[in-house]
Amino acid sequence: MSQRFQVELKKLVDNSYEIEIGERLFPSLIRDLQEGLVPGVSKFAIITDSSVEPLYGQPLLKLMRQNGFAAELFAFPAGEPSKTRETKALLEDQLLSHSYGRDCCIIAVGGGAVTDLAGFLAGTFGRGVPSLNYATTLLAAADASVGGKTGVNTPVATNLIGVFHQPRKVYIDLAAWRTLPVREFRSGLAETIKHACLVDVKFFEYLENNIGKIVTPDGELILDPETCEQIALHNCRIKYEVVEQDEHESNLRQILNLGHTAGRALEAVSGYTLLHGEAVAVGLVIQAKLGVKLGYMTGEQAERVAALLRRAGLPTEIPDAITNRMLMDKMYTDKKVRSGRIRFVFQDGIGAMKRFADGSYSTPVEEATIMELLEEIRG
C-alpha cells in the first residue's frame, strides 16, 4: 500500500527587465544600484574577459568601490574557446574562495561570450543569483542581451549546455562599439541582418540603404551615431517580440536560430577561427539557398540576403578547408535535431518565417538534399 502527496508549485513569475541604450552608461548603472535595482545584495562580482578588462572592467570596479559597493573583478581569457564548462568552474571556485554566496550579484561586462558564460554562472551559483548585462559589442546587443539564454560550448557542439536566466537589467553602451576591431563589429552585423530577415522587411531595406553609414566593404568603421542607435533599438525590439511569446523556446523562438543550424556547425568545425557572426553569415546563405531549392523563397530574395552580408564585409562561402562531410556530421549535433534528422528554420521570403503544417517553425531536411545544395554552393 503506497501513499501519495501532490506538490503544488504553480506560480506566476515576472521576469521583466529594462534595456537602456546610450553612451557611457556606468553612471546610470551606479544610480540604479543606489536606487535598489537588486535589493538584498551585499557583494558584486564583475565578470569580464581579458580584452574588455582594461577598457571597461577595471574602470567599473574602481567606480563601484568609490561609491561604496563591495565589488571584485574576475576575468577569463578572451575568445569563444574560453566559453566552456571548465572556465565556468574556475570562476565558481574563485567566487567561493572570495566568500561569495547567495547574497551576491553578477555583473557581466563584455560581448556575447561574456554574457553567455556569466549568465550561466549566475543561473546556477547559489541555485541562482541576480545578474546585470553591460554589453560592449554589437553581437551582445543584437543577440546575447535579450532573451535570457545562457550557455557554454563543448567539443561536440556550441551552447548545448546552459540555462534560461533573465538579467535584472541590460545596458547597451554604443560608445564601446568604437573600441571594437572591425572584424568583431561585422560579426555582430550578421545577427542584425538575421533579425531583419526574420520578421521585418522594412528593417532589411533600412540596412540595405544605410549599411554604408556604419561600415564599408573594405573594412572602415563609420559608426554614424543615429544609425547605430536605430540598429540597437531594432535588434532589441525584434528579439523581444519573439521571446515575449516563447521565453523557453518551445516553438516560435526557434526562428531565432535562422542560419544557426549550419552556422554553429561551421563555427565549431573551424575550431572557432571563424567568429560566431562570420559562421552565421555563411549559415544564412546556406539556409536561403536551401530555401530556394525547397520553394520557400526566390533566387532573387536569396541573393539580396547574400549581397547585404557581403556589403557588411561578411563571408558568404564555406571555407575550402571544411569539407561538406565535416559540416554535415557537425550539423547532427544541433539542438533542433530530432530522431536523428537535421531540422532547419526557413525564411518565407524576406521579413517572414515559414510555418509548417504541424504548426512548427522547423522542419526536417534530408541529408541528401543538404549535401546536394552544399555541392552546388561550391560550384
Side-chain angles (χ1 to χ4, degrees):
M1 181 86 178
S2 64
Q3 301 290 329
R4 299 187 182 187
F5 181 83
Q6 179 70 21
V7 179
E8 294 285 352
L9 290 174
K10 296 177 183 177
K11 60 181 179 179
L12 180 66
V13 178
D14 186 355
N15 283 328
S16 306
Y17 60 91
E18 182 180 61
I19 298 172
E20 185 172 348
I21 300 169
E23 295 202 4
R24 301 174 185 86
L25 298 175
F26 282 169
S28 181
L29 187 154
I30 296 295
R31 185 168 57 252
D32 286 339
L33 295 181
Q34 290 170 337
E35 293 175 355
L37 176 64
V38 279
V41 168
S42 62
K43 288 179 85 172
F44 293 85
I46 299 169
I47 308 291
T48 188
D49 67 27
S50 55
S51 294
V52 179
E53 179 184 3
L55 293 170
Y56 290 92
Q58 290 293 346
L60 178 58
L61 177 65
K62 182 179 179 181
L63 188 62
M64 290 189 70
R65 287 177 171 174
Q66 285 174 347
N67 281 273
F69 295 104
E72 294 178 72
L73 185 145
F74 305 88
F76 60 91
E80 197 74 14
S82 293
K83 201 178 86 173
T84 63
R85 288 171 291 182
E86 291 76 16
T87 302
K88 178 174 178 282
L90 286 171
L91 290 169
E92 288 164 342
D93 289 343
Q94 289 175 30
L95 290 175
L96 292 169
S97 70
H98 286 76
S99 302
Y100 277 78
R102 299 189 70 178
D103 60 345
C104 75
C105 174
I106 304 294
I107 303 179
V109 182
V114 173
T115 54
D116 278 356
L117 180 56
F120 187 16
L121 173 65
T124 57
F125 192 80
R127 298 193 180 93
V129 297
S131 63
L132 306 173
N133 285 348
Y134 194 94
T136 61
T137 68
L138 173 56
L139 184 60
D143 192 40
S145 289
V146 182
K149 281 172 71 174
T150 72
V152 294
N153 302 329
T154 71
V156 173
T158 63
N159 294 323
L160 206 54
I161 297 175
V163 295
F164 288 95
H165 185 75
Q166 304 294 350
R168 295 294 175 89
K169 184 170 177 177
V170 173
Y171 304 84
I172 295 176
D173 189 342
L174 300 178
W177 294 6
R178 291 193 282 273
T179 69
L180 295 174
V182 65
R183 190 178 170 207
E184 292 278 354
F185 184 80
R186 285 166 162 171
S187 181
L189 279 175
E191 293 286 355
T192 299
I193 292 168
K194 178 201 79 174
H195 283 154
C197 289
L198 287 174
V199 295
D200 196 335
V201 67
K202 289 190 180 300
F203 184 41
F204 189 92
E205 291 166 354
Y206 177 85
L207 291 173
E208 286 181 315
N209 294 328
N210 293 277
I211 197 84
K213 293 180 182 177
I214 51 174
V215 66
T216 64
D218 60 359
E220 183 185 358
L221 284 183
I222 308 297
L223 299 183
D224 170 67
E226 184 180 340
T227 308
C228 289
E229 186 173 303
Q230 284 300 312
I231 284 174
L233 279 167
H234 275 81
N235 276 320
C236 292
R237 177 186 58 77
I238 289 168
K239 191 161 186 186
Y240 158 72
E241 288 174 355
V242 174
V243 171
E244 180 194 27
Q245 298 175 66
D246 183 11
E247 184 180 346
H248 292 109
E249 202 170 20
S250 58
N251 185 18
L252 175 65
R253 189 168 172 168
Q254 292 182 84
I255 69 174
L256 295 173
N257 286 310
L258 184 69
H260 283 59
T261 301
R264 282 205 189 98
L266 274 170
E267 186 181 8
V269 171
S270 77
Y272 301 103
T273 56
L274 281 175
L275 297 180
H276 177 71
E278 292 171 337
V280 167
V282 180
L284 284 170
V285 173
I286 290 172
Q287 166 274 145
K289 292 187 174 181
L290 194 55
V292 173
K293 202 174 187 65
L294 297 172
Y296 306 142
M297 61 193 302
T298 67
E300 181 186 2
Q301 289 168 331
E303 178 50 35
R304 280 181 71 188
V305 172
L308 182 55
L309 291 164
R310 286 193 294 268
R311 288 182 60 204
L314 287 159
T316 56
E317 297 180 357
I318 304 166
D320 291 339
I322 297 174
T323 67
N324 293 344
R325 188 71 259 165
M326 291 163 63
L327 180 56
M328 180 66 65
D329 288 346
K330 186 57 71 173
M331 278 194 272
Y332 278 106
T333 67
D334 185 76
K335 294 192 294 292
K336 296 186 299 301
V337 167
R338 297 287 183 274
S339 304
R341 301 181 76 191
I342 297 170
R343 300 177 70 91
F344 278 78
V345 293
F346 286 103
Q347 290 176 238
D348 189 1
I350 291 178
M353 292 297 292
K354 184 70 179 173
R355 191 172 191 180
F356 297 93
D358 63 354
S360 176
Y361 285 92
S362 67
T363 190
V365 181
E366 296 302 325
E367 179 178 312
T369 304
I370 302 170
M371 285 295 274
E372 186 178 283
L373 185 276
L374 295 178
E375 292 292 343
E376 290 173 6
I377 287 176
R378 291 184 188 270

